[in-house]
Amino acid sequence: MLDQLQALPADPILGLAAAARADTRAEKVDLTVGIYMNEQGICPVFDAVRDAQAALAADETTKAYLPAAGVADFNTGMQELLLGADHVALQDKRVSSVSAPGGCGALRIGAEIIHAAAPGATVWVSDPTWPVHLPLLGSVGLQFSSYRYYDPSSHGVNFDAMVEDLKQAGAGDVVLLHGCCHNPCGADLTLEQWGVVADMAAAQGFLPFIDIAYQGMGDGLDADAAGLRLLAERLPEMIVAGSCSKNMGLYRERTGVTLFICRDRDNAQALVSQALVAARRIYSMPPAHGALIAGRILADAQLGEAWRTELLQMCERINGLRSTLRQKLESACDRDFAFIEKEKGMFSFLGLSAEQAVRLREEYAVYMLNSSRINVAGVNAGNIDYLAESVAAVL
Ligand SMILES: Cc1ncc(COP(=O)(O)O)c(C=O)c1O
């Protein structure tokens, strides 16, 4: 039976990352995968995470199952982190959440809930979006439409086109929005534009589904969540999928949360019961280790402060790299790269053709996706000049 199955091609991003790892050229620059890298090219462990983990190891007396909704401090901490501790939806007690295996697990649980409520729902996704959204949500049975979002010629959001497309989304439809630091393009909505989306959702009745995997890596923890907070103030219902992979560096611990913002407390509790049954079908219970670490950080003033400071330094480094990269590219290439400085988070499209991206890889050992999406955090003082010269050479 099993021998009928053929090997499948590698995931394009992970396949490219593997090719980059195998490349032994000394000048290699790997800007493929979406993990944060420091100046030394290492994806570091946060000190606050190390401390919380040590305290957890010292205190832990059992590995027995946790309640199926996950770690209580983590759930409460994530609700407050995403919405802000004094958010009106929290005061009205119309928010609930379940822990999930990473942002992907959180998205999947959100999709399961949507499918339970409206099996034929169409999910509107931005063009482009993170490619994993499609199998992750589509395998639940949801349909997709796309709305225009990134305009390669202006290197920014084509908001008029987005609004025009979303005029077709009605009650029973879902609009998937990147909460901040859009992956792959780095171009985010302004707060005013979030307000327009909120008005459209209120008038047309579509459900916003917010994927926020990079809170704190664009303009700071609060600023990055301002759009989703605005929606949660104005709308009766929405779903948020949060992740601690990037902003706490808990990539392999699989630490995420699905938040339900509902009409009232009873509905919020009903959705938790639905989510638990959905989780039971797939993986039964969420992993605890990362949620216990994140829960400690969020519940402890000192650890929380230490984590916020480290995250801010990370965010400032990314924004600093964006400015320097813009300058280096502009002096090497005689082209306008101002958009790199305006965009948020780890990703930007450099605006190169697929042929140019392939040449960079083959001739210069500079790895980026064929779409010319780069991970800005993979740039450092040791490779930035070479990167700019290589880009200039293929342009
Ligand atoms: C847009 C987006 N959403 C969600 C995720 C979820 O990540 P994880 O499951 O590792 O928390 C990622 C990770 O790369 C992402 O880029």
Side-chain angles (χ1 to χ4, degrees):
M1 178 175 86
L2 302 181
D3 60 1
Q4 309 165 55
L5 295 176
Q6 308 292 319
L8 295 172
D11 170 276
I13 299 180
L14 299 182
L16 205 51
R21 271 196 305 279
D23 190 326
T24 52
R25 285 175 285 180
E27 66 277 24
K28 175 175 75 185
V29 182
D30 182 5
L31 307 177
T32 52
V33 174
I35 59 174
Y36 178 82
M37 307 279 204
N38 64 15
E39 267 303 296
Q40 289 69 46
I42 291 165
C43 179
V45 180
F46 281 70
D47 288 340
V49 165
R50 215 185 285 284
D51 291 347
Q53 187 163 252
L56 174 63
D59 292 357
E60 203 165 45
T61 53
T62 181
K63 294 281 190 193
Y65 292 120
L66 284 167
V71 177
D73 275 352
F74 174 69
N75 279 328
T76 315
M78 289 302 284
Q79 289 179 13
E80 294 182 353
L81 186 70
L82 287 160
L83 290 169
D86 53 0
H87 196 280
V88 64
L90 288 173
Q91 285 164 9
D92 293 346
K93 304 202 181 324
R94 58 183 192 92
V95 181
S96 62
S97 55
V98 294
S99 308
C104 287
L107 284 161
R108 176 64 186 231
I109 290 295
E112 296 276 345
I113 293 293
I114 290 162
H115 188 259
T122 293
V123 181
W124 290 77
V125 294
S126 60
D127 177 18
T129 194
W130 184 45
V132 181
H133 281 146
L134 302 184
L136 199 56
L137 310 185
S139 54
V140 178
L142 301 171
Q143 315 298 312
F144 295 100
S145 274
S146 72
Y147 58 88
R148 283 170 289 168
Y149 186 80
Y150 181 73
D151 176 8
S153 59
S154 70
H155 300 281
V157 177
N158 184 349
F159 191 64
D160 290 343
M162 174 176 173
V163 167
E164 199 177 308
D165 291 348
L166 288 184
K167 279 183 185 155
Q168 298 164 61
D173 283 348
V174 177
V175 175
L176 184 67
L177 297 149
H178 294 231
C180 64
C181 307
H182 190 285
N183 181 5
C185 70
D188 283 347
L189 299 181
T190 63
L191 197 53
E192 199 186 348
Q193 291 169 337
W194 279 101
V196 173
V197 174
D199 290 344
M200 292 178 75
Q204 296 166 221
F206 60 76
L207 180 84
F209 186 8
I210 316 287
D211 176 9
I212 177 158
Y214 299 90
Q215 186 186 4
M217 301 181 89
D219 277 327
L221 283 166
D222 292 321
D224 290 350
L228 80 87
R229 291 177 186 180
L230 182 80
L231 260 56
E233 251 170 60
R234 297 210 200 151
L235 300 173
E237 299 187 323
M238 61 190 255
I239 299 179
V240 179
S243 166
C244 296
S245 300
K246 323 279 162 156
N247 62 10
M248 287 198 191
L250 292 169
Y251 298 86
R252 61 174 69 161
E253 276 77 12
R254 313 307 299 133
T255 310
V257 71
T258 312
L259 239 63
F260 305 111
I261 294 128
C262 300
R263 282 181 199 278
D264 57 36
R265 185 184 195 149
D266 286 350
N267 188 223
Q269 291 316 313
L271 291 200
V272 169
S273 74
Q274 291 273 342
L276 297 187
V277 170
R280 194 83 176 145
R281 281 199 300 270
I282 323 173
Y283 51 74
S284 196
M285 302 208 183
H289 191 66
L292 286 166
I293 292 171
R296 269 180 189 249
I297 291 174
L298 296 171
D300 181 293
Q302 214 178 329
L303 281 174
E305 191 50 39
W307 166 63
R308 282 167 195 267
T309 306
E310 287 180 271
L311 179 60
L312 186 64
Q313 285 163 358
M314 203 176 243
C315 176
E316 285 171 353
R317 175 168 171 271
I318 294 173
N319 289 330
L321 279 171
R322 286 189 170 279
S323 306
T324 319
L325 184 59
R326 173 201 173 171
Q327 287 159 22
K328 298 272 183 190
L329 285 171
E330 285 183 351
S331 44
C333 304
D334 189 28
R335 228 199 214 199
D336 181 7
F337 284 98
F339 62 89
I340 293 180
E341 214 174 337
K342 285 194 213 119
E343 289 165 356
K344 299 293 169 199
M346 296 207 290
F347 306 114
S348 278
F349 287 127
L350 282 188
L352 310 180
S353 66
E355 293 71 38
Q356 287 164 333
V358 171
R359 270 192 70 200
L360 276 170
R361 204 147 71 219
E362 290 176 354
E363 295 173 32
Y364 298 90
V366 172
Y367 284 78
M368 63 186 66
L369 307 193
N370 282 356
S371 59
S372 82
R373 186 200 80 166
I374 59 162
N375 174 3
V376 177
V379 179
N380 57 48
N383 65 23
I384 196 165
D385 289 314
Y386 178 70
L387 170 65
E389 286 158 22
S390 308
V391 170
V394 300
L395 270 177

